[in-house]
CSV table of all heavy atoms in Angstrom, one decimal:
chain,number,residue,atom,x,y,z
A,249,ARG,N,-139.5,-35.3,24.3
A,249,ARG,CA,-139.2,-35.1,23.0
A,249,ARG,C,-139.2,-36.6,22.3
A,249,ARG,O,-138.6,-37.4,22.8
A,249,ARG,CB,-137.8,-34.5,22.8
A,249,ARG,CG,-137.5,-34.2,21.2
A,249,ARG,CD,-136.1,-33.6,21.2
A,249,ARG,NE,-135.8,-33.3,19.8
A,249,ARG,CZ,-134.7,-33.5,19.1
A,249,ARG,NH1,-133.7,-34.1,20.0
A,249,ARG,NH2,-134.4,-33.1,18.0
A,250,LEU,N,-140.0,-36.6,21.3
A,250,LEU,CA,-140.3,-37.9,20.7
A,250,LEU,C,-138.8,-38.5,20.3
A,250,LEU,O,-138.0,-37.8,19.7
A,250,LEU,CB,-141.1,-37.7,19.3
A,250,LEU,CG,-141.6,-39.0,18.8
A,250,LEU,CD1,-142.5,-39.7,19.6
A,250,LEU,CD2,-142.3,-38.6,17.3
A,251,ARG,N,-138.7,-39.7,20.6
A,251,ARG,CA,-137.6,-40.5,20.3
A,251,ARG,C,-136.3,-40.2,21.1
A,251,ARG,O,-135.2,-40.7,21.0
A,251,ARG,CB,-137.1,-40.5,18.8
A,251,ARG,CG,-138.3,-41.0,18.0
A,251,ARG,CD,-137.6,-41.6,16.7
A,251,ARG,NE,-136.8,-40.6,15.9
A,251,ARG,CZ,-137.2,-39.5,15.2
A,251,ARG,NH1,-138.6,-39.5,15.1
A,251,ARG,NH2,-136.5,-38.7,14.7
A,252,ASP,N,-136.4,-39.2,22.0
A,252,ASP,CA,-135.3,-39.0,23.1
A,252,ASP,C,-135.6,-39.6,24.3
A,252,ASP,O,-136.8,-39.7,24.7
A,252,ASP,CB,-135.3,-37.3,23.3
A,252,ASP,CG,-134.1,-36.7,22.5
A,252,ASP,OD1,-133.7,-37.3,21.6
A,252,ASP,OD2,-134.1,-35.5,22.7
A,253,SER,N,-134.7,-40.1,25.1
A,253,SER,CA,-135.0,-40.6,26.4
A,253,SER,C,-135.4,-39.5,27.3
A,253,SER,O,-135.1,-38.3,27.0
A,253,SER,CB,-133.5,-41.1,27.0
A,253,SER,OG,-132.7,-40.1,27.2
A,254,LEU,N,-136.3,-39.7,28.2
A,254,LEU,CA,-136.6,-38.6,29.3
A,254,LEU,C,-136.7,-39.4,30.6
A,254,LEU,O,-137.4,-40.3,30.9
A,254,LEU,CB,-138.1,-38.3,28.9
A,254,LEU,CG,-138.8,-37.2,29.6
A,254,LEU,CD1,-140.2,-36.7,29.1
A,254,LEU,CD2,-139.1,-37.6,31.2
A,255,THR,N,-135.7,-38.7,31.5
A,255,THR,CA,-135.5,-39.5,32.7
A,255,THR,C,-135.8,-38.7,33.9
A,255,THR,O,-135.9,-39.2,35.0
A,255,THR,CB,-134.0,-39.9,32.9
A,255,THR,OG1,-133.2,-38.6,33.2
A,255,THR,CG2,-133.4,-40.6,31.7
A,256,CYS,N,-136.0,-37.3,33.9
A,256,CYS,CA,-136.2,-36.4,34.9
A,256,CYS,C,-135.0,-36.7,35.9
A,256,CYS,O,-135.2,-36.5,37.1
A,256,CYS,CB,-137.5,-36.6,35.6
A,256,CYS,SG,-138.8,-36.0,34.7
A,257,CYS,N,-133.9,-37.2,35.5
A,257,CYS,CA,-132.7,-37.5,36.2
A,257,CYS,C,-133.1,-38.4,37.4
A,257,CYS,O,-132.6,-38.1,38.4
A,257,CYS,CB,-131.9,-36.3,36.6
A,257,CYS,SG,-131.3,-35.6,35.1
A,258,SER,N,-134.0,-39.4,37.0
A,258,SER,CA,-134.5,-40.3,38.2
A,258,SER,C,-134.1,-41.8,37.6
A,258,SER,O,-134.5,-42.0,36.4
A,258,SER,CB,-136.0,-40.2,38.4
A,258,SER,OG,-136.4,-41.1,39.2
A,259,ASN,N,-133.8,-42.6,38.6
A,259,ASN,CA,-133.7,-44.1,38.1
A,259,ASN,C,-135.1,-44.6,37.7
A,259,ASN,O,-135.1,-45.6,36.9
A,259,ASN,CB,-133.0,-44.9,39.2
A,259,ASN,CG,-131.6,-44.6,39.4
A,259,ASN,OD1,-130.9,-44.4,38.4
A,259,ASN,ND2,-131.1,-44.6,40.5
A,260,PHE,N,-136.1,-44.0,38.3
A,260,PHE,CA,-137.5,-44.5,37.8
A,260,PHE,C,-137.7,-44.5,36.4
A,260,PHE,O,-138.3,-45.3,35.9
A,260,PHE,CB,-138.4,-43.7,38.7
A,260,PHE,CG,-139.7,-44.5,39.0
A,260,PHE,CD1,-139.8,-44.9,40.3
A,260,PHE,CD2,-140.6,-45.0,38.0
A,260,PHE,CE1,-141.0,-45.8,40.7
A,260,PHE,CE2,-141.7,-45.7,38.4
A,260,PHE,CZ,-141.8,-46.1,39.6
A,261,LEU,N,-137.1,-43.5,35.8
A,261,LEU,CA,-137.5,-43.3,34.3
A,261,LEU,C,-136.3,-43.6,33.4
A,261,LEU,O,-136.1,-43.2,32.3
A,261,LEU,CB,-138.0,-41.9,34.1
A,261,LEU,CG,-139.4,-41.6,34.6
A,261,LEU,CD1,-139.7,-40.1,34.4
A,261,LEU,CD2,-140.4,-42.4,33.9
A,262,ALA,N,-135.4,-44.4,34.0
A,262,ALA,CA,-134.0,-44.5,33.3
A,262,ALA,C,-134.2,-45.2,31.8
A,262,ALA,O,-133.4,-44.8,31.0
A,262,ALA,CB,-133.1,-45.5,34.2
A,263,ASP,N,-135.3,-45.8,31.6
A,263,ASP,CA,-135.4,-46.4,30.3
A,263,ASP,C,-136.7,-45.9,29.6
A,263,ASP,O,-137.3,-46.7,28.7
A,263,ASP,CB,-135.6,-47.9,30.4
A,263,ASP,CG,-134.4,-48.6,31.1
A,263,ASP,OD1,-133.2,-48.2,30.5
A,263,ASP,OD2,-134.6,-49.4,32.0
A,264,PHE,N,-137.1,-44.8,30.0
A,264,PHE,CA,-138.3,-44.2,29.4
A,264,PHE,C,-138.2,-43.4,28.1
A,264,PHE,O,-137.3,-42.5,28.1
A,264,PHE,CB,-139.1,-43.4,30.4
A,264,PHE,CG,-140.4,-42.7,30.0
A,264,PHE,CD1,-141.4,-43.7,29.5
A,264,PHE,CD2,-140.6,-41.5,30.0
A,264,PHE,CE1,-142.6,-43.1,29.0
A,264,PHE,CE2,-141.8,-40.9,29.5
A,264,PHE,CZ,-142.8,-41.7,29.1
A,265,TYR,N,-138.8,-43.7,27.1
A,265,TYR,CA,-138.9,-42.9,25.8
A,265,TYR,C,-140.2,-42.4,25.5
A,265,TYR,O,-141.1,-43.3,25.4
A,265,TYR,CB,-138.4,-43.7,24.7
A,265,TYR,CG,-136.9,-43.9,24.7
A,265,TYR,CD1,-136.4,-44.9,25.6
A,265,TYR,CD2,-136.0,-43.1,23.9
A,265,TYR,CE1,-134.9,-45.1,25.6
A,265,TYR,CE2,-134.7,-43.3,24.0
A,265,TYR,CZ,-134.1,-44.2,24.8
A,265,TYR,OH,-132.7,-44.5,25.0
A,266,PRO,N,-140.6,-41.1,25.6
A,266,PRO,CA,-142.1,-40.8,25.5
A,266,PRO,C,-142.4,-40.9,24.0
A,266,PRO,O,-141.7,-41.0,23.1
A,266,PRO,CB,-142.0,-39.3,25.8
A,266,PRO,CG,-140.5,-38.9,25.6
A,266,PRO,CD,-139.8,-40.0,25.8
A,267,GLY,N,-143.7,-41.0,23.9
A,267,GLY,CA,-144.3,-41.4,22.6
A,267,GLY,C,-144.8,-40.0,21.9
A,267,GLY,O,-145.6,-40.1,20.9
A,268,TYR,N,-144.4,-38.9,22.4
A,268,TYR,CA,-144.9,-37.7,21.8
A,268,TYR,C,-143.9,-36.6,22.3
A,268,TYR,O,-143.0,-36.8,23.1
A,268,TYR,CB,-146.2,-37.3,22.3
A,268,TYR,CG,-146.4,-37.2,23.7
A,268,TYR,CD1,-146.1,-36.0,24.4
A,268,TYR,CD2,-146.8,-38.4,24.4
A,268,TYR,CE1,-146.2,-36.0,25.8
A,268,TYR,CE2,-146.9,-38.3,25.9
A,268,TYR,CZ,-146.6,-37.1,26.5
A,268,TYR,OH,-146.7,-37.1,27.9
A,269,SER,N,-143.9,-35.4,21.6
A,269,SER,CA,-143.2,-34.3,22.0
A,269,SER,C,-143.9,-33.3,22.8
A,269,SER,O,-145.2,-33.0,22.4
A,269,SER,CB,-142.5,-33.6,20.9
A,269,SER,OG,-141.5,-34.4,20.2
A,270,ALA,N,-143.4,-32.5,23.7
A,270,ALA,CA,-144.0,-31.4,24.4
A,270,ALA,C,-144.4,-30.4,23.4
A,270,ALA,O,-143.6,-30.2,22.4
A,270,ALA,CB,-143.1,-30.9,25.5
A,271,THR,N,-145.3,-29.6,23.7
A,271,THR,CA,-145.7,-28.5,22.9
A,271,THR,C,-144.5,-27.5,22.8
A,271,THR,O,-144.2,-27.0,21.6
A,271,THR,CB,-146.8,-27.8,23.4
A,271,THR,OG1,-147.9,-28.6,23.5
A,271,THR,CG2,-147.3,-26.5,22.5
A,272,VAL,N,-143.8,-27.3,23.8
A,272,VAL,CA,-142.6,-26.3,23.7
A,272,VAL,C,-141.6,-26.8,22.8
A,272,VAL,O,-140.9,-26.1,22.1
A,272,VAL,CB,-141.9,-26.0,25.1
A,272,VAL,CG1,-142.9,-25.1,25.9
A,272,VAL,CG2,-141.7,-27.2,25.9
A,273,VAL,N,-141.3,-28.2,22.8
A,273,VAL,CA,-140.4,-28.8,21.8
A,273,VAL,C,-140.9,-28.7,20.4
A,273,VAL,O,-140.2,-28.2,19.5
A,273,VAL,CB,-140.1,-30.2,22.3
A,273,VAL,CG1,-139.3,-31.0,21.1
A,273,VAL,CG2,-139.4,-30.3,23.5
A,274,GLU,N,-142.1,-29.0,20.2
A,274,GLU,CA,-142.8,-28.8,18.8
A,274,GLU,C,-142.5,-27.4,18.3
A,274,GLU,O,-142.1,-27.1,17.2
A,274,GLU,CB,-144.2,-29.1,18.8
A,274,GLU,CG,-144.5,-30.6,18.8
A,274,GLU,CD,-145.9,-30.8,18.8
A,274,GLU,OE1,-146.9,-30.0,18.7
A,274,GLU,OE2,-146.3,-32.0,18.9
A,275,ARG,N,-142.8,-26.4,19.2
A,275,ARG,CA,-142.7,-25.0,18.8
A,275,ARG,C,-141.2,-24.5,18.6
A,275,ARG,O,-141.0,-23.8,17.6
A,275,ARG,CB,-143.3,-24.1,19.8
A,275,ARG,CG,-144.8,-24.1,19.9
A,275,ARG,CD,-145.6,-23.3,20.7
A,275,ARG,NE,-147.1,-23.6,20.6
A,275,ARG,CZ,-148.1,-22.9,21.3
A,275,ARG,NH1,-147.7,-21.8,22.0
A,275,ARG,NH2,-149.2,-23.2,21.0
A,276,LEU,N,-140.3,-25.1,19.4
A,276,LEU,CA,-138.9,-24.7,19.1
A,276,LEU,C,-138.5,-25.3,17.7
A,276,LEU,O,-137.8,-24.5,16.9
A,276,LEU,CB,-138.1,-25.4,20.2
A,276,LEU,CG,-137.8,-24.8,21.5
A,276,LEU,CD1,-137.0,-25.7,22.4
A,276,LEU,CD2,-137.2,-23.4,21.4
A,277,GLU,N,-138.9,-26.6,17.4
A,277,GLU,CA,-138.5,-27.2,16.2
A,277,GLU,C,-139.1,-26.6,15.0
A,277,GLU,O,-138.3,-26.3,14.0
A,277,GLU,CB,-138.7,-28.7,16.5
A,277,GLU,CG,-137.8,-29.4,17.4
A,277,GLU,CD,-137.8,-30.7,17.4
A,277,GLU,OE1,-138.9,-31.4,17.3
A,277,GLU,OE2,-136.8,-31.4,17.5
A,278,ARG,N,-140.4,-26.2,15.2
A,278,ARG,CA,-141.0,-25.5,14.1
A,278,ARG,C,-140.3,-24.2,13.8
A,278,ARG,O,-140.3,-23.7,12.6
A,278,ARG,CB,-142.6,-25.2,14.5
A,278,ARG,CG,-143.4,-25.1,13.3
A,278,ARG,CD,-144.7,-24.7,13.6
A,278,ARG,NE,-145.3,-25.7,14.6
A,278,ARG,CZ,-146.2,-25.4,15.6
A,278,ARG,NH1,-146.6,-24.1,15.6
A,278,ARG,NH2,-146.7,-26.2,16.5
A,279,ALA,N,-139.7,-23.6,14.9
A,279,ALA,CA,-139.1,-22.2,14.7
A,279,ALA,C,-137.7,-22.5,14.2
A,279,ALA,O,-136.9,-21.5,14.0
A,279,ALA,CB,-139.1,-21.5,15.9
A,280,GLY,N,-137.3,-23.7,13.9
A,280,GLY,CA,-135.9,-24.0,13.3
A,280,GLY,C,-134.9,-24.4,14.3
A,280,GLY,O,-133.8,-24.6,13.8
A,281,ALA,N,-135.1,-24.2,15.6
A,281,ALA,CA,-134.1,-24.5,16.6
A,281,ALA,C,-133.6,-26.0,16.5
A,281,ALA,O,-134.2,-26.8,16.0
A,281,ALA,CB,-134.6,-24.3,17.9
A,282,ILE,N,-132.4,-26.1,16.8
A,282,ILE,CA,-131.7,-27.4,16.8
A,282,ILE,C,-131.5,-27.9,18.2
A,282,ILE,O,-130.6,-27.3,18.9
A,282,ILE,CB,-130.4,-27.4,15.9
A,282,ILE,CG1,-130.7,-27.0,14.5
A,282,ILE,CG2,-129.7,-28.7,16.0
A,282,ILE,CD1,-129.8,-27.1,13.4
A,283,ILE,N,-132.1,-28.9,18.7
A,283,ILE,CA,-132.0,-29.4,20.0
A,283,ILE,C,-130.9,-30.3,20.0
A,283,ILE,O,-130.8,-31.3,19.4
A,283,ILE,CB,-133.3,-30.1,20.5
A,283,ILE,CG1,-134.4,-29.0,20.5
A,283,ILE,CG2,-133.2,-30.7,21.8
A,283,ILE,CD1,-135.9,-29.5,20.8
A,284,ILE,N,-130.0,-29.9,20.8
A,284,ILE,CA,-128.5,-30.6,20.9
A,284,ILE,C,-128.6,-31.7,22.1
A,284,ILE,O,-127.7,-32.5,22.1
A,284,ILE,CB,-127.3,-29.8,20.9
A,284,ILE,CG1,-127.4,-28.8,22.1
A,284,ILE,CG2,-127.2,-28.9,19.6
A,284,ILE,CD1,-125.9,-28.8,22.7
A,285,GLY,N,-129.3,-31.4,23.1
A,285,GLY,CA,-129.3,-32.4,24.2
A,285,GLY,C,-130.1,-32.0,25.3
A,285,GLY,O,-130.9,-31.1,25.3
A,286,ARG,N,-130.1,-33.0,26.4
A,286,ARG,CA,-131.0,-32.8,27.5
A,286,ARG,C,-130.0,-32.5,28.6
A,286,ARG,O,-129.1,-33.1,28.9
A,286,ARG,CB,-131.7,-34.1,27.7
A,286,ARG,CG,-132.3,-34.5,26.3
A,286,ARG,CD,-133.1,-35.9,26.4
A,286,ARG,NE,-134.1,-35.7,27.5
A,286,ARG,CZ,-135.4,-35.1,27.2
A,286,ARG,NH1,-135.8,-34.7,26.0
A,286,ARG,NH2,-136.3,-34.9,28.1
A,287,THR,N,-130.6,-31.6,29.6
A,287,THR,CA,-129.7,-31.1,30.7
A,287,THR,C,-130.1,-31.8,32.0
A,287,THR,O,-131.2,-32.1,32.3
A,287,THR,CB,-129.8,-29.7,30.7
A,287,THR,OG1,-131.1,-29.2,30.9
A,287,THR,CG2,-129.2,-28.9,29.5
A,288,ASN,N,-129.1,-31.8,32.8
A,288,ASN,CA,-129.2,-32.4,34.2
A,288,ASN,C,-130.2,-31.5,35.0
A,288,ASN,O,-130.3,-30.3,34.8
A,288,ASN,CB,-127.8,-32.4,34.8
A,288,ASN,CG,-127.7,-33.4,35.9
A,288,ASN,OD1,-128.5,-34.2,36.1
A,288,ASN,ND2,-126.7,-33.3,36.7
A,289,MET,N,-130.6,-32.1,36.1
A,289,MET,CA,-131.6,-31.5,36.9
A,289,MET,C,-131.7,-32.2,38.3
A,289,MET,O,-131.3,-33.4,38.3
A,289,MET,CB,-133.0,-31.4,36.2
A,289,MET,CG,-133.6,-32.9,35.9
A,289,MET,SD,-135.1,-32.8,35.1
A,289,MET,CE,-136.2,-32.7,36.3
A,290,ASP,N,-132.2,-31.6,39.3
A,290,ASP,CA,-132.6,-32.3,40.4
A,290,ASP,C,-133.8,-33.4,40.0
A,290,ASP,O,-134.6,-33.1,39.3
A,290,ASP,CB,-133.1,-31.4,41.5
A,290,ASP,CG,-132.0,-30.6,42.2
A,290,ASP,OD1,-131.1,-31.2,42.8
A,290,ASP,OD2,-132.0,-29.4,42.0
A,291,GLU,N,-133.7,-34.6,40.7
A,291,GLU,CA,-134.6,-35.6,40.4
A,291,GLU,C,-135.9,-35.0,40.6
A,291,GLU,O,-136.4,-34.4,41.5
A,291,GLU,CB,-134.4,-36.7,41.5
A,291,GLU,CG,-135.4,-37.9,41.1
A,291,GLU,CD,-135.2,-39.1,42.0
A,291,GLU,OE1,-134.3,-39.1,42.9
A,291,GLU,OE2,-135.8,-40.2,41.7
A,292,MET,N,-136.7,-35.2,39.5
A,292,MET,CA,-138.2,-34.8,39.4
A,292,MET,C,-138.4,-33.4,39.7
A,292,MET,O,-139.5,-32.9,40.0
A,292,MET,CB,-139.0,-35.7,40.4
A,292,MET,CG,-139.1,-37.2,40.0
A,292,MET,SD,-140.1,-37.5,38.6
A,292,MET,CE,-139.8,-39.0,38.1
A,293,ALA,N,-137.3,-32.5,39.4
A,293,ALA,CA,-137.4,-31.1,39.6
A,293,ALA,C,-137.5,-30.7,41.2
A,293,ALA,O,-137.9,-29.6,41.5
A,293,ALA,CB,-138.5,-30.4,38.8
A,294,MET,N,-137.1,-31.6,42.0
A,294,MET,CA,-137.2,-31.4,43.4
A,294,MET,C,-135.8,-31.1,43.9
A,294,MET,O,-135.0,-32.0,44.2
A,294,MET,CB,-137.8,-32.5,44.1
A,294,MET,CG,-139.3,-32.7,43.7
A,294,MET,SD,-140.0,-34.3,44.4
A,294,MET,CE,-141.5,-34.3,43.6
A,295,GLY,N,-135.5,-29.8,44.2
A,295,GLY,CA,-134.1,-29.4,44.7
A,295,GLY,C,-133.7,-28.1,44.2
A,295,GLY,O,-134.3,-27.5,43.4
A,296,SER,N,-132.5,-27.7,44.8
A,296,SER,CA,-132.0,-26.3,44.3
A,296,SER,C,-130.6,-26.4,44.0
A,296,SER,O,-129.9,-25.3,44.1
A,296,SER,CB,-132.3,-25.4,45.6
A,296,SER,OG,-133.6,-25.5,46.1
A,297,THR,N,-130.0,-27.5,43.8
A,297,THR,CA,-128.5,-27.7,43.6
A,297,THR,C,-128.2,-28.6,42.4
A,297,THR,O,-127.0,-28.5,42.0
A,297,THR,CB,-127.9,-28.2,44.8
A,297,THR,OG1,-128.4,-29.5,45.0
A,297,THR,CG2,-128.1,-27.4,46.1
A,298,THR,N,-129.2,-29.2,41.9
A,298,THR,CA,-128.9,-30.2,40.8
A,298,THR,C,-128.1,-31.4,41.4
A,298,THR,O,-127.7,-32.3,40.6
A,298,THR,CB,-128.2,-29.8,39.5
A,298,THR,OG1,-129.0,-28.4,39.2
A,298,THR,CG2,-128.2,-30.6,38.3
A,299,GLU,N,-127.9,-31.6,42.6
A,299,GLU,CA,-127.2,-32.7,43.2
A,299,GLU,C,-128.1,-33.8,43.7
A,299,GLU,O,-127.6,-35.0,43.8
A,299,GLU,CB,-126.4,-32.2,44.4
A,299,GLU,CG,-125.3,-31.3,44.2
A,299,GLU,CD,-124.8,-30.7,45.6
A,299,GLU,OE1,-125.5,-29.8,46.1
A,299,GLU,OE2,-123.8,-31.1,46.0
A,300,THR,N,-129.4,-33.7,43.5
A,300,THR,CA,-130.4,-34.7,43.8
A,300,THR,C,-130.6,-35.6,42.4
A,300,THR,O,-131.2,-36.5,42.5
A,300,THR,CB,-131.8,-34.4,44.4
A,300,THR,OG1,-132.5,-33.7,43.5
A,300,THR,CG2,-131.6,-33.4,45.5
A,301,SER,N,-129.9,-35.1,41.4
A,301,SER,CA,-129.8,-35.9,40.1
A,301,SER,C,-129.5,-37.3,40.5
A,301,SER,O,-128.5,-37.4,41.2
A,301,SER,CB,-129.0,-35.3,39.1
A,301,SER,OG,-128.8,-36.2,38.1
A,302,ALA,N,-130.1,-38.3,39.9
A,302,ALA,CA,-129.7,-39.7,40.1
A,302,ALA,C,-128.3,-40.0,39.5
A,302,ALA,O,-127.8,-41.0,39.7
A,302,ALA,CB,-130.7,-40.6,39.7
A,303,PHE,N,-127.8,-39.1,38.5
A,303,PHE,CA,-126.7,-39.4,37.7
A,303,PHE,C,-125.4,-38.9,38.2
A,303,PHE,O,-124.5,-39.6,38.7
A,303,PHE,CB,-127.0,-39.0,36.3
A,303,PHE,CG,-128.3,-39.4,35.8
A,303,PHE,CD1,-129.0,-38.8,34.9
A,303,PHE,CD2,-128.6,-40.9,36.1
A,303,PHE,CE1,-130.3,-39.3,34.5
A,303,PHE,CE2,-129.8,-41.4,35.4
A,303,PHE,CZ,-130.6,-40.6,34.7
A,304,PHE,N,-125.3,-37.5,38.4
A,304,PHE,CA,-124.2,-36.9,38.8
A,304,PHE,C,-124.5,-35.4,39.1
A,304,PHE,O,-125.5,-34.9,38.4
A,304,PHE,CB,-122.9,-37.0,37.7
A,304,PHE,CG,-123.4,-36.7,36.3
A,304,PHE,CD1,-123.8,-35.5,35.8
A,304,PHE,CD2,-123.6,-37.8,35.4
A,304,PHE,CE1,-124.2,-35.4,34.6
A,304,PHE,CE2,-124.1,-37.6,34.1
A,304,PHE,CZ,-124.4,-36.4,33.6
Side-chain angles (χ1 to χ4, degrees):
R249 183 180 183 223
L250 190 65
R251 300 203 311 276
D252 262 6
S253 65
L254 184 165
T255 73
C256 289
C257 295
S258 175
N259 285 324
F260 213 103
L261 289 174
D263 302 313
F264 179 60
Y265 286 80
Y268 57 87
S269 288
T271 301
V272 287
V273 167
E274 281 181 7
R275 291 188 180 182
L276 277 181
E277 293 191 316
R278 204 183 310 144
I282 299 197
I283 294 171
I284 61 138
R286 311 181 59 82
T287 56
N288 200 16
M289 58 185 274
D290 283 297
E291 182 178 7
M292 294 287 167
M294 297 175 186
S296 310
T297 62
T298 310
E299 289 170 291
T300 73
S301 163
F303 307 139
F304 42 75

